[in-house]
Amino acid sequence: MFNWVKTFVLMAAITALFVVAGGATGGQQGMVIALLLAVAMNFFSYWFSDKLVLRMYTREKSMRRARRRSTVWSGTLPRVRNCRCRASI
């Protein structure tokens, strides 16, 4: 329950900061535009944050695995191909 309250307070603070900055730059119309922008950004970041983080970490892990696999295979395949002593069954 505490995490939900903390998230709400932080998003409200960001929204207030946007509205104040919009009011300072554009008056009342700037405040309305900043409020709409802040609500859209907060909704997107709250609703899709889990998907964004998961995509970010799985992409990084898969790239590391791909690099590691290509390094391992590129280092061992030429040695196996050039091996002259083969076991016969």
Side-chain angles (χ1 to χ4, degrees):
M1 178 94 175
F2 178 71
N3 285 336
W4 183 83
V5 172
K6 185 171 61 172
T7 302
F8 177 78
V9 168
L10 289 172
M11 288 183 150
I14 290 172
T15 302
L17 182 65
F18 265 81
V19 170
V20 168
T25 58
Q28 187 176 3
Q29 187 177 6
M31 288 175 74
V32 171
I33 292 171
L35 177 65
L36 294 175
L37 182 65
V39 167
M41 286 176 48
N42 283 337
F43 174 77
F44 182 80
S45 65
Y46 184 78
W47 196 258
F48 296 110
S49 62
D50 59 338
K51 293 174 184 74
L52 292 172
V53 170
L54 287 174
R55 284 184 186 171
M56 182 178 64
Y57 280 111
T58 55
R59 181 177 297 153
E60 183 177 335
K61 285 182 183 177
S62 65
M63 291 299 289
R64 284 183 188 167
R65 286 182 189 158
R67 277 190 232 128
R68 185 174 47 218
R69 285 181 185 161
S70 66
T71 305
V72 168
W73 283 107
S74 66
T76 57
L77 284 179
R79 284 187 229 145
V80 173
R81 274 191 231 142
N82 294 334
C83 181
R84 294 176 192 241
C85 53
R86 298 186 184 189
S88 60
I89 298 176

